[in-house]
Amino acid sequence: MVAFVVTFGFSYALYLVLTAGSGIAPWFWSSQELLLGAIVAVVVGLAARTFFSSSRPRAGLDPRRWVRAIAYVCGPFFLELARANLDVAYRIITGRIRPGIVRVPSGMSTDLGVLFLANSITLTPGTLTVGIDEDTHDLFIHMIYVPPGLEDREAIDAREIFAMFDCPRWIRRITE
Amino acid sequence: MILTVLIWVALAIGLSFNTLGIVGILRFPDIYTRLHADTKCTTFGTIFTSLAVVLYALRVYVQTSDGQYISLIFHTLLAVVVLAFTNATSAHAIAQAAHRRGHKPMPSVTDRLEEIRP
Amino acid sequence: MSCWILAVLVMVSLMLLAMVRLFLGPTSADRVVALDAINTLVVASMIVLAVVFRQILFVDVAIVYALLSFIGTLFIAKYLGGNL
């Protein structure tokens, strides 16, 4: 039931954002759009509730998580993204690369946390997630420049690959 | 006036990063490094060209207060979020498929995935 | 106004450059990478075209295009990985 409410609310909000401005002057939405959006959101909620919020649906109702997620994307994530792009641009121009695949224990307990971390790693610091060990939640990461000496170590902590912020801690606070 | 300059700057940054991404795809030696250039540079470039569109819509809204431009802003932001998320996930899918298919990272100093999944 | 059309022209020529990799690419995985880059550029130029033609509908088409090209890329990757 809670899973249905979370999925319904999310899809209805998305529909309302996409159709904003359809009503006449004081109203944002016309009545047809409101009704049709509710019907569509009920159908989507019934169809997708099992895989949209699988393990702990109540966590999706906590507004602090959404605020933290938006703050994370706008703040630390965007700055890391900018730094990573300057780094990759430098390597494209000079051609100075030293690639390799290393193992990084993620330390996340939920699937959503692993997904968040893998996507953050892919978009940020000269790294790209290649594989996931399903049992231990270890990530295998292709780095475009492995710093000398790092290739001999068995595993690398997730905090070491981000340059400026402690992104794994942010993600853990969002998803757990 | 300041907004106009910002629009130009954002558009220039976006186009130059898109160009760098394509140059990287043509220039890098193996598939994993090409994926680096593709995912990071083209996503970042697209974020900045879309930012230019958002700033333009903001400027026109301030001048004319036409509600249509507010909804242009929201739709563009949604498109950017969707694009960033799907680009990261599909890069991950391509990399995993290439490794399963047996493409080795060609110049490489270490390959820990090879050890558990030969 | 003309700067937006210029931006679209630049992105279209970048797509043509990426097509060089699409034709040359030694393996099929390289071709998928080039295709993914072209898809991203198509989405970016659609968003810019929405300003040129003053139609919000272009952005909606860009959102749907991004989602559909994502599904396409996922299935090609699944086929390449050998479990389809």
Side-chain angles (χ1 to χ4, degrees):
Chain A
M1 189 60 202
V2 182
F4 169 73
V5 171
V6 171
T7 317
F8 172 83
F10 186 76
S11 48
Y12 198 33
L14 208 58
Y15 191 92
L16 290 184
V17 166
L18 277 178
T19 57
S22 62
I24 310 155
W27 304 98
F28 265 131
W29 295 281
S30 62
S31 53
Q32 293 101 318
E33 292 284 11
L34 285 174
L35 185 64
L36 188 65
I39 294 170
V40 171
V42 165
V43 173
V44 171
L46 285 176
R49 69 180 189 279
T50 48
F51 44 81
F52 182 71
S53 55
S54 53
S55 53
R56 291 176 307 137
R58 232 168 255 283
L61 288 176
D62 189 352
R64 281 175 306 168
R65 285 171 196 276
W66 292 95
V67 172
R68 261 186 223 142
I70 293 169
Y72 168 68
V73 169
C74 296
F77 178 72
F78 191 77
L79 289 175
E80 287 278 356
L81 185 64
R83 202 200 68 87
N85 274 283
L86 292 177
D87 186 59
V88 173
Y90 167 74
R91 306 217 177 279
I92 287 172
I93 293 167
T94 59
R96 201 171 293 164
I97 54 175
R98 195 166 181 275
I101 296 181
V102 297
R103 178 193 201 106
V104 175
S106 67
M108 300 287 160
S109 58
T110 57
D111 285 347
L112 185 66
V114 176
L115 174 75
F116 238 95
L117 185 67
N119 274 358
S120 297
I121 281 172
T122 300
L123 281 177
T124 46
T127 50
L128 178 75
T129 315
V130 178
I132 294 178
D133 191 334
E134 301 275 349
D135 305 321
T136 57
H137 283 176
D138 285 2
L139 300 171
F140 292 91
I141 288 173
H142 183 271
M143 298 181 88
I144 199 166
Y145 186 83
V146 183
L150 211 63
E151 69 264 28
D152 300 326
R153 280 163 56 187
E154 191 64 34
I156 294 166
D157 196 70
R159 265 170 305 176
E160 285 178 56
I161 57 176
F162 291 96
M164 295 183 287
F165 294 94
D166 191 357
C167 289
R169 209 173 117 242
W170 274 86
I171 294 168
R172 218 170 289 133
R173 280 172 63 197
I174 292 168
T175 59
E176 283 167 19
Chain B
M1 191 56 218
I2 301 167
L3 270 179
T4 315
V5 175
L6 278 179
I7 290 169
W8 277 90
V9 168
L11 208 56
I13 291 175
L15 285 180
S16 49
F17 270 100
N18 274 341
T19 314
L20 277 175
I22 300 300
V23 170
I25 287 178
L26 293 174
R27 191 165 173 218
F28 274 155
D30 74 330
I31 170 172
Y32 301 100
T33 41
R34 277 176 202 152
L35 262 177
H36 275 287
D38 170 29
T39 33
K40 288 190 210 28
C41 289
T42 53
T43 307
F44 196 64
T46 306
I47 286 175
F48 266 88
T49 52
S50 308
L51 190 69
V53 171
V54 168
L55 290 174
Y56 171 79
L58 205 64
R59 193 186 71 181
V60 177
Y61 178 74
V62 168
Q63 283 167 357
T64 64
S65 68
D66 181 358
Q68 205 191 352
Y69 286 95
I70 290 295
S71 82
L72 176 62
I73 291 176
F74 277 114
H75 286 219
T76 309
L77 289 179
L78 189 66
V80 168
V81 170
V82 165
L83 194 74
F85 203 78
T86 56
N87 254 349
T89 315
S90 60
H92 169 62
I94 295 170
Q96 192 170 30
H99 205 278
R100 281 230 181 101
R101 203 176 162 80
H103 294 297
K104 303 277 174 293
M106 240 337 261
S108 91
V109 292
T110 172
D111 190 352
R112 297 278 177 202
L113 187 57
E114 181 71 29
E115 293 160 11
I116 65 153
R117 212 154 54 193
Chain C
M1 178 48 77
S2 65
C3 69
W4 301 104
I5 297 174
L6 199 70
V8 174
L9 281 179
V10 170
M11 282 195 264
V12 169
S13 47
L14 286 180
M15 280 177 222
L16 292 176
L17 268 179
M19 271 184 199
V20 173
R21 178 52 73 194
L22 192 70
F23 285 118
L24 283 183
T27 65
S28 41
D30 290 304
R31 291 172 215 267
V32 184
V33 176
L35 186 70
D36 201 48
I38 291 174
N39 281 333
T40 312
L41 286 175
V42 167
V43 172
S45 44
M46 271 184 188
I47 292 173
V48 175
L49 279 177
V51 171
V52 175
F53 291 111
R54 297 170 188 281
Q55 291 279 330
I56 298 181
L57 206 60
F58 274 67
V59 183
D60 297 345
V61 174
I63 295 171
V64 175
Y65 185 90
L67 289 171
L68 284 181
S69 72
F70 168 60
I71 294 171
T73 311
L74 275 192
F75 268 92
I76 296 172
K78 224 176 162 183
Y79 169 70
L80 288 179
N83 44 8
L84 186 69

